Amino acid sequence: MPLLVGTASWTDPTLIACGRFYPPEVRTPEARLRFYATRFPLVEVSSSYYALPSAANADRWVARTPPHFSFDVKAHRLFTGHTATAEALPPDLRAVVADALGTDEHRPFVYGELPHPVRDELWHRFRTALQPLHAAGRLGAVLFQFAPWVRAGAAGEALVEHCVDRMAGGPAAVEFRHRSWFADGQGARTLALLRALGAAHVVVDGPVGAFENCVPAVWSATCPALAVVRLHGRNAAAWNGRAGGASSGRFRYEYSDAELGAMVPALRNLEAEVERVHVVVNTNHRDQGQTNARRLLDLL
């Protein structure tokens, strides 16, 4: 299947609580993933952004899904310019990092503050955890969603190159979250960078032109093997809000048939250019992601 549609979560608490997607008897993590895989051929793993994934979990994901099913995995936040605390690291590394930084486990830090051996170890563990997916042919892409303060320029480009290089040829997809990457004629340079790195450009649908941390939808492919489209919804009022602490509330949005239908020609164009197109619907409030994804599939 060259064009796959799925959602950015199958375990969001609001999805489970709403009771509209999973049947009442589907109550365990295993049962939820098995059920989800009967409805969609693709899902994005977002938990890996908050904590390093494990090979044991990846083995379970493979066992619980059919052979055609694909996983896109979000890169850990430290790799993409976000902050973290030692508590977000594996237990055996927490004290090492706290000692190296001369602080406690609660102070936020960034990737550049870590000693090089710790950075190497984090990448090693991340790649190792994905190996079961890769070996089974289930790893669709590793999503590098760079922080909003990672801007176009020498430093930003160096970070992108570093992340793609660290994947050692693995399927990397790059999503920018600062509009400088596509403003004032920068877009051509940005796409050329991704082509040179062999990384897939992520087409982003969000509140158009509303904020510095929202990029325009640039429907261009940069990797012959893969294109990725992520639909965040167009809820400008909630885009930079906290929504009562629930991250999924930022992406509360129901696409209209007209909005989804307008994407179909662009999706078909991408499908003609690359081997695979992954469309990930990130409107994760309750069952909006699943509803939007199903309607897009119907239109396709």
Side-chain angles (χ1 to χ4, degrees):
M1 296 174 64
L3 198 159
L4 306 183
V5 178
T7 68
S9 176
W10 76 95
T11 59
D12 187 88
T14 64
L15 170 64
I16 296 170
C18 80
R20 290 194 291 265
F21 180 67
Y22 293 114
E25 66 274 14
V26 177
R27 296 178 176 273
T28 66
E30 177 178 356
R32 291 187 187 110
L33 182 54
R34 289 187 183 276
F35 178 84
Y36 176 98
T38 68
R39 299 299 189 268
F40 300 101
L42 167 72
V43 78
E44 182 181 283
V45 178
S46 58
S47 59
S48 49
Y49 169 81
Y50 300 98
L52 289 177
S54 70
N57 272 342
D59 275 322
R60 285 190 278 269
W61 296 338
V62 170
R64 295 169 182 176
T65 52
H68 68 269
F69 194 85
S70 290
F71 292 87
D72 287 357
V73 180
K74 199 170 184 180
H76 191 271
R77 55 186 169 178
L78 276 173
F79 300 153
T80 51
H82 296 83
T83 60
T85 65
E87 295 170 301
L89 301 179
D92 63 310
L93 292 181
R94 293 173 188 172
V96 174
V97 170
D99 289 344
L101 300 182
T103 184
D104 58 39
E105 294 186 0
H106 307 289
R107 180 181 76 79
F109 58 87
V110 295
Y111 178 78
E113 296 180 73
L114 293 173
H116 285 280
V118 176
R119 298 186 207 176
D120 292 342
E121 182 64 17
L122 290 176
W123 280 105
H124 171 71
R125 294 191 188 191
F126 182 72
R127 291 191 304 265
T128 300
L130 302 184
Q131 189 56 36
L133 295 176
H134 181 72
R138 307 291 190 82
L139 180 61
V142 176
L143 170 68
F144 291 94
Q145 186 187 55
F146 288 95
W149 42 87
V150 176
R151 303 186 177 208
E157 291 181 7
L159 179 58
V160 174
E161 184 174 359
H162 175 78
C163 288
V164 175
D165 181 64
R166 285 286 196 159
M167 282 307 301
V174 173
E175 177 177 344
F176 296 108
R177 295 175 64 204
H178 192 274
R179 63 185 179 189
S180 61
W181 291 95
F182 295 100
D184 302 323
Q186 174 66 31
R189 179 181 174 90
T190 296
L191 296 176
L193 169 69
L194 298 181
R195 288 191 185 98
L197 295 175
H201 160 61
V202 176
V203 180
V204 176
D205 186 83
V208 180
F211 307 101
E212 283 195 346
N213 64 345
C214 186
V215 300
V218 178
W219 293 87
S220 297
T222 57
C223 173
L226 176 68
V228 179
V229 181
R230 299 185 79 234
L231 309 183
H232 296 295
R234 301 174 182 179
N235 189 344
W239 186 253
N240 286 318
R242 292 299 176 189
S247 61
S248 64
R250 290 184 56 222
F251 308 105
R252 185 194 303 246
Y253 194 78
E254 291 187 9
Y255 283 93
S256 69
D257 284 343
E259 289 171 330
L260 293 173
M263 301 180 196
V264 170
L267 288 169
R268 292 302 188 198
N269 287 338
L270 284 180
E271 188 180 14
E273 291 183 38
V274 301
E275 295 176 12
R276 294 171 291 122
V277 179
H278 285 191
V279 183
V280 177
V281 184
N282 190 41
T283 53
N284 285 333
H285 184 69
R286 298 182 179 174
D287 63 336
Q288 285 183 340
Q290 286 69 28
T291 299
N292 288 327
R294 183 71 259 169
R295 287 168 54 236
L296 177 58
L297 277 170
D298 291 342
L299 289 168
L300 287 165

